[in-house]
Amino acid sequence: MVSQQAANPLKDALSSALNELRIENVSVDWMDIGDYLQRYFYVADTESLIELYPCQLEPLRYFLRRDEQGNFYYDLIVWSFPKKSAKTIVCAGILDWLAYHNRNAPIRIISNDLKQASSRVGHYMVRNVEIAKKKGYATNGRISIEDEEMHEFRLRTQIDRSDTRLRYPNGAVIEMIPLDPKGEAGGNDLAISVGELWAWDTEKHIATWTETTTPPTKQGRSIRIVDTYAGFSGRSVVLEPLYDALVNEGTRIPFPSNDECYENGRIAGTWV
């Protein structure tokens, strides 16, 4: 006996097409960054969802909040934590959160070379999608409608064979690229991620950093994310001015769980 489902391939195809159209055009309400990461971002090494501590959650929520017009309060966020603090994973999660909530958003991950770009933040983003495709989601042991929708979103996310580009069903694209100052000029990115800024110490580094500065016309709509260890005085020529601006000249934000957070104008960050 032929099942009703098998007897209606046209119905199945139409249903699939309508589902794709819904995902591509849905207007997504912004989830809280902490809730999103702990519900939908997998850690590569353990294949389990990330768990965040208050010392991470408090600054994350504060730094990435938006005003009534939907604009970010900061153009640049420095996420400086010591080793084994999951700082790179957290930054990968931020980019994933941004891509999910912004249709057709271009996002770039910049490193010294393509291998480095795809082996750090990019690696954790790719692995998150791969694990999610396989495992799906369940909130408190139950699969909700939202969990099913997110799983479908992950299933339809495309990973290029080179593992250097992610294409989300809503049109957002995350690209991992090597250092290229000329290529950064005039970008229209929603977000740019830079890793290990402590080691940026050449003229090429300085030029790239300058070219990725958020233009005034995109203030509030574009953001740079930096994950880095503390640098060396006199040697970390790009990072040291940020340290001065945040720690020496900025205002300390007294979170109960993390008192090494600062802000200065449209720059905010942790320096643990």
Side-chain angles (χ1 to χ4, degrees):
M1 181 176 179
V2 179
S3 69
Q4 184 69 20
Q5 184 178 11
N8 291 277
L10 182 60
K11 181 180 178 181
D12 292 344
L14 179 61
S15 176
S16 177
L18 288 173
N19 189 46
E20 290 185 9
L21 186 65
R22 176 184 60 77
I23 291 177
E24 290 171 359
N25 292 280
V26 67
S27 178
V28 179
D29 291 330
W30 284 75
M31 281 186 66
D32 171 83
I33 178 66
D35 294 343
Y36 178 91
L37 294 186
Q38 295 182 107
R39 186 173 177 178
Y40 293 131
F41 199 85
Y42 281 104
V43 177
D45 299 338
T46 63
E47 295 199 358
S48 58
L49 293 169
I50 191 171
E51 296 182 21
L52 299 172
Y53 295 99
C55 64
Q56 298 166 311
L57 281 169
E58 287 183 327
L60 269 178
R61 286 171 168 150
Y62 186 82
F63 295 162
L64 291 166
R65 73 196 195 283
R66 300 177 304 138
D67 63 21
E68 294 179 354
Q69 287 73 45
N71 294 322
F72 292 109
Y73 285 92
Y74 303 107
D75 300 325
L76 170 61
I77 295 173
V78 179
W79 195 253
S80 179
F81 275 84
K83 289 184 178 182
K84 306 300 182 182
S85 63
K87 67 179 178 62
T88 304
I89 300 172
V90 169
C91 287
I94 293 173
L95 298 184
D96 181 70
W97 175 76
L98 289 168
Y100 175 73
H101 290 96
N102 288 273
R103 290 181 57 200
N104 303 316
I107 295 174
R108 288 184 294 172
I109 301 170
I110 303 174
S111 290
N112 281 320
D113 53 50
L114 192 57
K115 181 178 179 181
Q116 189 180 65
S118 61
S119 65
R120 301 188 67 261
V121 171
H123 165 73
Y124 287 111
M125 299 199 71
V126 169
R127 288 295 293 133
N128 165 61
V129 173
E130 290 175 338
I131 297 166
K133 286 175 183 280
K134 176 177 64 175
K135 299 185 70 171
Y137 302 99
T139 303
N140 298 322
R142 301 181 62 181
I143 301 175
S144 66
I145 293 175
E146 292 81 6
D147 294 335
E148 290 179 346
E149 290 178 344
M150 178 58 87
H151 189 210
E152 178 66 23
F153 189 87
R154 298 301 193 196
L155 288 172
R156 294 193 51 240
T157 297
Q158 300 174 11
I159 305 171
D160 281 15
R161 289 186 178 181
S162 61
D163 284 353
T164 59
R165 187 182 290 110
L166 288 168
R167 301 177 187 272
Y168 285 54
N170 63 357
V173 176
I174 297 175
E175 191 171 15
M176 298 146 229
I177 61 174
L179 213 62
D180 179 11
K182 294 181 180 178
E184 315 315 327
N188 192 39
D189 305 285
L190 167 72
I192 291 177
S193 169
V194 178
E196 304 307 349
L197 204 64
W198 65 269
W200 283 38
D201 56 5
T202 69
E203 291 297 326
K204 191 175 182 179
H205 288 130
I206 296 170
T208 299
W209 182 251
T210 301
E211 293 296 345
T212 59
T213 301
T214 302
T217 54
K218 293 205 68 179
Q219 194 171 84
R221 296 289 181 178
S222 181
I223 193 167
R224 283 191 294 179
I225 311 291
V226 171
D227 76 283
T228 184
Y229 300 126
F232 301 94
S233 180
R235 290 171 54 189
S236 301
V237 296
V238 175
L239 184 62
E240 191 166 359
L242 285 181
Y243 176 83
D244 289 336
L246 275 176
V247 180
N248 294 333
E249 302 166 12
T251 301
R252 187 187 295 267
I253 308 169
F255 294 120
S257 63
N258 187 342
D259 63 356
E260 294 296 333
C261 299
Y262 306 85
E263 61 184 339
N264 185 351
R266 298 195 62 85
I267 303 174
T270 61
W271 219 287
V272 179

